[in-house]
């Protein structure tokens, strides 16, 4: 039986959140709905989840010694990784000591590094992926590009939200792609993955929930990326019954291999009825923010239920929905979201402002959500609302 006692007492439940961005903020809120004490951690002060958590710590989560110190001090019931840049070998140690790492320490370890999850899917599970090579230095990188051919995609093995990712379209792009990958890695310069270009019709995120009720799936989410970063998503992505069945089989195979309870964002390429595995995140996914308006249980609510070992008997889908990321460019800690009354003047529109303290370069600072009777109408409504927003850089 699942029991949650009074907060701040010996019978209460405590979660240590490793990563406190906009996704972690929503997880924090959902955990607190169940009376769970939340301690938020990130590398900078004032991160979104820290603004709603009970307590917080600021440190580099790649620092294994500091991570050990905080876990030993807090003694959490749940350790919840919300970003890739964590000293994952330490998580493996914690799990051996009896700590509950969500969904598992091995899942966090394998998915932090694109090499781990790609080898699991392609080489151990026999799932179709794009052709790929790993390169530890520039000479290996150049050889990999030559073997796979141009165009090809380059990514650091450790990064997220598209950081360090680029497409080599001509030989002149090779040098800049290497530099981009080295500068964009979460853990600094290092190994990269070079992927053969996949000719696909569209790509999806299939949110897959592993819990006490078994494995359940959300409606497939389509999305658009720019420079490797999500800018727009919608639900449901139209696809054939055959393709959806294949996607669910692949997602279940990968998530079963990773194990544990929680939500997984499984990224897949689709060409007709053919489905090709791309990546997986063992946590809520940025494209899944659309579920905050499209479903009775958002991806954050589903993640929380699963990790607390509470049942998910069903997921009610409300209908065609869309999200539009608010990306701000500049160099400031003073930003105003203006004309909000215009943004929200149509029915079926919502906005989330993440509360990030500053932007240096470009940064996702909010999201607009919309629902309507058709997918086309929902996407158009989200775009109209976005175009009404005025961003003041002060």
């Amino acid at each position: 039986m699942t029991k949650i006692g009074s907060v701040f007492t010996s019978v209460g439940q405590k979660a240590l959140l490793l990563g406190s961005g906009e996704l972690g903020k929503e997880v924090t809120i959902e955990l607190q709905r169940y009376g769970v004490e939340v301690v938020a951690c990130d590398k900078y002060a004032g991160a979104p989840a820290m603004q709603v958590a009970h307590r917080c710590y600021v440190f580099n989560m790649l620092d294994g010694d500091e991570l050990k110190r905080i876990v030993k001090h807090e003694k959490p019931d749940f350790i919840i990784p919300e970003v890739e840049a964590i000293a994952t070998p330490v998580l493996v140690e914690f799990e051996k000591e009896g700590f509950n790492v969500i969904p598992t320490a091995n899942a966090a370890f394998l998915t932090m590094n694109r090499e781990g999850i790609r080898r699991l899917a392609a080489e151990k599970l026999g799932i179709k992926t794009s052709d790929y090579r790993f390169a530890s230095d520039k000479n290996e990188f150049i050889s990999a590009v030559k073997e796979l051919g141009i165009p090809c995609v380059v990514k650091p093995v450790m990064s997220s939200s598209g950081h360090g990712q680029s497409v080599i379209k001509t030989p002149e792009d090779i040098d800049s792609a290497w530099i981009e990958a080295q500068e964009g890695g979460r853990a600094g310069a290092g190994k990269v993955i070079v992927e053969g270009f996949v000719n696909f019709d569209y790509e999806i995120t299939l949110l897959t929930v592993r819990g006490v009720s078994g494995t359940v799936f959300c409606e497939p989410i389509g999305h658009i990326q720019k420079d490797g970063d999500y800018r727009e998503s919608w639900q449901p992505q139209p696809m054939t019954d055959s393709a959806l069945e294949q996607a669910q089989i692949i997602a279940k195979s990968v998530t079963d291999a990773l194990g544990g309870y929680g939500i997984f964002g499984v990224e897949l390429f689709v060409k007709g009825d053919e489905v090709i595995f791309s990546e997986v995140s063992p946590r809520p996914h940025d494209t899944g923010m659309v579920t905050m308006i499209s479903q009775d249980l958002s991806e954050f609510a589903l993640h929380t239920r699963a990790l607390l070992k509470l049942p998910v008997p069903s997921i009610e889908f409300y209908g065609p929905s869309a999200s539009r990321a608010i990306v701000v460019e500049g160099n400031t800690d003073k930003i105003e979201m203006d004309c909000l009354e215009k943004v929200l003047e149509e029915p079926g529109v919502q906005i989330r402002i993440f509360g990030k303290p500053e932007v240096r370069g470009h940064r996702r600072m909010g999201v607009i959500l919309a629902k309507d009777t058709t997918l086309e109408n929902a996407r158009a409504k989200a775009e109209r609302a976005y175009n009404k927003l005025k961003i003041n850089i002060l």
Side-chain angles (χ1 to χ4, degrees):
M1 299 290 288
T2 299
K3 297 183 291 185
I4 300 175
S6 301
V7 69
F8 305 134
T9 72
S10 60
V11 297
Q13 299 280 294
K14 183 191 296 185
L16 185 70
L17 190 69
L18 301 180
S20 299
E22 60 267 32
L23 306 184
K25 179 179 183 178
E26 296 297 330
V27 171
T28 298
I29 292 170
E30 293 294 340
L31 284 166
Q32 291 179 343
R33 294 187 196 280
Y34 290 98
V36 176
E37 180 182 350
V38 181
V39 182
C41 305
D42 213 310
K43 63 182 179 181
Y44 68 95
M50 291 179 178
Q51 299 168 23
V52 294
H54 294 98
R55 283 191 313 290
C56 61
Y57 292 94
V58 178
F59 71 104
N60 183 345
M61 289 171 292
L62 291 168
D63 183 342
D65 290 337
E66 183 65 4
L67 180 55
K68 287 180 183 179
R69 186 188 70 80
I70 290 169
V71 169
K72 296 295 185 183
H73 175 70
E74 291 289 347
K75 298 180 177 60
D77 298 282
F78 308 97
I79 299 174
I80 308 175
E82 282 299 311
V83 294
E84 289 85 356
I86 299 170
T88 49
V90 175
L91 297 182
V92 175
E93 292 180 29
F94 290 149
E95 194 167 77
K96 290 178 180 177
E97 294 174 13
F99 287 99
N100 185 7
V101 180
I102 304 299
T104 67
N106 189 51
F109 179 76
L110 288 175
T111 57
M112 177 188 179
N113 188 315
R114 286 188 170 94
E115 183 171 5
I117 192 61
R118 181 57 62 94
R119 293 197 188 281
L120 171 68
E123 300 172 20
K124 292 187 178 180
L125 301 178
I127 293 170
K128 183 167 184 179
T129 70
S130 62
D131 291 334
Y132 61 91
R133 302 287 188 277
F134 294 102
S136 299
D137 57 41
K138 191 171 183 181
N139 288 334
E140 289 183 2
F141 170 70
I142 292 171
S143 296
V145 172
K146 185 176 180 179
E147 290 177 29
L148 293 172
I150 296 174
C152 60
V153 179
V154 181
K155 306 171 186 175
V157 294
M158 290 191 289
S159 73
S160 63
S161 300
H163 295 295
Q165 180 175 323
S166 63
V167 178
I168 296 177
K169 299 178 181 178
T170 69
E172 288 72 30
D173 296 332
I174 293 176
D175 286 343
S176 60
W178 172 255
I179 294 171
E180 178 76 13
Q182 294 302 297
E183 293 179 348
R186 281 258 184 196
K191 186 177 285 189
V192 304
I193 181 173
V194 184
E195 297 181 297
F197 205 77
V198 176
N199 182 20
F200 60 89
D201 296 330
Y202 54 90
E203 54 186 323
I204 67 167
T205 303
L206 186 60
L207 294 174
T208 304
V209 186
R210 295 190 84 250
V212 294
S213 304
T215 299
V216 294
F217 304 96
C218 297
E219 293 288 333
I221 298 170
H223 56 271
I224 290 175
Q225 293 185 341
K226 181 180 178 182
D227 300 325
D229 197 9
Y230 138 80
R231 297 301 173 95
E232 181 185 354
S233 69
W234 55 87
Q235 192 184 26
Q237 165 64 45
M239 55 195 304
T240 66
D241 291 343
S242 176
L244 180 58
E245 182 181 6
Q246 283 190 57
Q248 291 177 345
I249 290 171
I250 290 171
K252 189 173 188 305
S253 178
V254 172
T255 56
D256 281 352
L258 294 173
Y261 288 166
I263 199 165
F264 297 77
V266 183
E267 299 180 54
L268 304 158
F269 298 115
V270 183
K271 177 69 175 178
D273 286 338
E274 183 181 32
V275 180
I276 300 169
F277 175 79
S278 176
E279 294 180 356
V280 60
S281 299
R283 61 186 67 88
H285 199 275
D286 52 4
T287 62
M289 284 190 282
V290 68
T291 62
M292 289 190 284
I293 198 170
S294 68
Q295 303 178 172
D296 64 332
L297 296 172
S298 71
E299 63 171 341
F300 312 105
L302 290 168
H303 193 48
T304 300
R305 280 208 188 190
L307 69 89
L308 291 176
K309 297 183 180 179
L310 298 172
V312 181
S314 66
I315 302 171
E316 182 181 353
F317 181 65
Y318 292 147
S321 304
S323 77
R324 183 68 161 80
I326 301 170
V327 179
V328 177
E329 296 187 8
N331 186 20
T332 182
D333 61 354
K334 294 181 177 62
I335 301 161
E336 288 181 342
M337 300 287 182
D338 200 355
C339 300
L340 296 180
E341 72 283 0
K342 293 291 184 182
V343 173
L344 298 172
E345 64 185 355
E346 287 190 68
V349 176
Q350 299 178 21
I351 189 171
R352 302 286 191 277
I353 299 173
F354 302 147
K356 294 179 180 178
E358 64 179 17
V359 58
R360 304 297 174 194
H362 72 276
R363 197 174 192 187
R364 190 167 58 221
M365 304 295 281
V367 66
I368 289 173
L369 308 165
K371 60 182 178 180
D372 212 306
T373 54
T374 69
L375 197 57
E376 293 74 17
N377 288 347
R379 292 180 64 184
K381 183 182 285 186
E383 187 67 19
R384 285 196 302 273
Y386 176 80
N387 289 332
K388 295 171 186 174
L389 180 67
K390 183 180 179 182
I391 300 171
N392 300 325
I393 306 296
L394 305 177

